[in-house]
Amino acid sequence: MRRIAIYGKGGIGKSTTSSNITDALAESGKKVIQIGCDPKADSTRLLTGTDRPVTVLDLMRDGRELVLEDFVREGRHGCLCVECGGPRPGMGCAGRGIMAAFAEMERLDAIAEYDPDVIIYDVLGDVVCGGFAMPIRNGYARDVFVVTSGEMMSLYAAGNIAEAVNGFKDDGYARFGGLIQNSRNVKDEDSLVDAMAAEIGSRTVFRLPRSPEVQLCEGKGTTVISGAPDSEMAEEYRRLAHTLMELSEDVSGGMRLGGLATGCDCND
């Protein structure tokens, strides 16, 4: 089983990238679960065609006993989709919301039930507090990749995420796999991204070109893999998915705590 976390600054295209990776892997015959770890709950919308899916936290707030079928949705090419969700706007901590959702999925033994070949965790990376660090610090994800462009703030976020991952490496949990460049046609973009990779002791593992196919397919509520399967951009996503499979480690286990503290750093 591959357990891959895709991090990135909000708006950098990490959810679009994650969804196309998931769709490409599912298209190739892999059993894939994508878990959206963003309070906006928009990670899997291109896979399910649903703008606002039911989230784990939405259901938990109802106070009833849950079963997996309540929040696990089937997406394109048979992939499985979960949205953790978050607190109501202005109420509570999004990081703690992720922790509560993970605990519920663990209680229901989600990974053992579905036995996937690959788990993709799509995680917001603007702030790497305790909740958003759950995939890397508690033994859920094994390999972490960061989506970035040559823009200053996305590179800054990539550096913060790399620092967070490296802070837990001595505990034997997630490892930093490298940067995925989601090109924005910034001047000297390749050099800027490679310079950040060198600064954090890593590498640029793939460069996605800028393509109008991405926006066209998003407007239709679908991935490029499903919406424009014969396009060059779809082939780029397939190559990226293949690259991540080659770079990630095949490990056993899934939704279980790794023994580290599970508290969130936030005060709310």
Side-chain angles (χ1 to χ4, degrees), residues 7-10 12 125-128 146-164 176 179 192-193 195-197 199-200:
Y7 276 77
K9 180 186 179 299
I12 198 57
D126 290 80
V127 179
V128 195
V146 177
V147 177
T148 187
S149 69
E151 297 162 309
M152 181 182 67
M153 293 310 297
S154 68
L155 292 171
Y156 180 77
N160 282 341
I161 296 159
E163 183 179 352
F176 195 83
L179 304 180
L192 289 168
V193 174
M196 173 54 72
E199 183 179 326
I200 61 178

Side-chain angles (χ1 to χ4, degrees), residues 16-80:
T16 298
T17 301
S18 298
S19 294
N20 276 284
I21 291 168
T22 292
D23 204 7
L25 292 173
E27 177 192 55
S28 73
K30 300 291 185 186
K31 190 171 185 180
V32 190
I33 297 179
Q34 181 164 317
I35 301 176
C37 305
D38 189 320
K40 297 193 305 297
D42 60 353
S43 170
T44 61
R45 64 183 182 85
L46 299 180
L47 294 169
T48 62
T50 303
D51 285 336
R52 177 60 178 165
V54 174
T55 72
V56 179
L57 285 182
D58 286 339
L59 294 168
M60 289 177 68
R61 277 192 286 265
D62 292 342
R64 62 187 176 87
E65 189 81 4
L66 301 184
V67 296
L68 289 170
E69 290 76 12
D70 288 330
F71 55 81
V72 179
R73 299 287 181 264
E74 184 170 330
R76 305 187 191 284
H77 292 106
C79 70
L80 298 174

Side-chain angles (χ1 to χ4, degrees), residues 36-245:
C37 305
D38 189 320
K40 297 193 305 297
D42 60 353
S43 170
T44 61
R45 64 183 182 85
L46 299 180
L47 294 169
T48 62
T50 303
D51 285 336
R52 177 60 178 165
V54 174
T55 72
V56 179
L57 285 182
D58 286 339
L59 294 168
M60 289 177 68
R61 277 192 286 265
D62 292 342
R64 62 187 176 87
E65 189 81 4
L66 301 184
V67 296
L68 289 170
E69 290 76 12
D70 288 330
F71 55 81
V72 179
R73 299 287 181 264
E74 184 170 330
R76 305 187 191 284
H77 292 106
C79 70
L80 298 174
C81 303
V82 175
E83 292 283 0
C84 291
R88 295 184 179 92
M91 302 288 292
C93 167
R96 282 183 175 157
I98 291 171
M99 289 160 44
F102 271 48
E104 184 67 7
M105 285 186 280
E106 187 172 332
R107 182 186 71 80
L108 295 170
D109 211 6
I111 303 309
E113 177 68 24
Y114 292 110
D115 191 25
D117 300 307
V118 187
I119 308 170
I120 301 290
Y121 298 92
D122 173 19
V123 195
L124 184 67
D126 290 80
V127 179
V128 195
C129 72
F132 290 105
M134 278 285 282
I136 60 178
R137 78 172 190 166
N138 284 75
Y140 293 110
R142 176 58 178 166
D143 296 278
V144 177
F145 298 91
V146 177
V147 177
T148 187
S149 69
E151 297 162 309
M152 181 182 67
M153 293 310 297
S154 68
L155 292 171
Y156 180 77
N160 282 341
I161 296 159
E163 183 179 352
V165 176
N166 290 332
F168 297 116
K169 67 180 180 181
D170 291 339
D171 296 298
Y173 293 129
R175 59 186 187 178
F176 195 83
L179 304 180
I180 300 168
Q181 179 177 319
N182 192 29
S183 300
R184 296 290 183 89
N185 295 338
V186 175
K187 183 180 178 182
D188 299 325
E189 188 161 31
D190 293 0
S191 298
L192 289 168
V193 174
D194 288 348
M196 173 54 72
E199 183 179 326
I200 61 178
S202 188
R203 57 190 167 172
T204 305
V205 300
F206 203 87
R207 300 189 205 277
L208 287 167
R210 191 150 181 85
S211 170
E213 292 288 356
V214 178
Q215 284 72 37
L216 288 171
C217 289
E218 284 188 341
K220 299 174 184 176
T222 185
T223 62
V224 177
I225 295 295
S226 289
D230 299 324
S231 66
E232 178 57 33
M233 194 62 194
E235 284 303 310
E236 292 287 348
Y237 282 124
R238 292 185 184 105
R239 285 192 283 269
L240 171 57
H242 179 73
T243 297
L244 296 192
M245 288 295 285

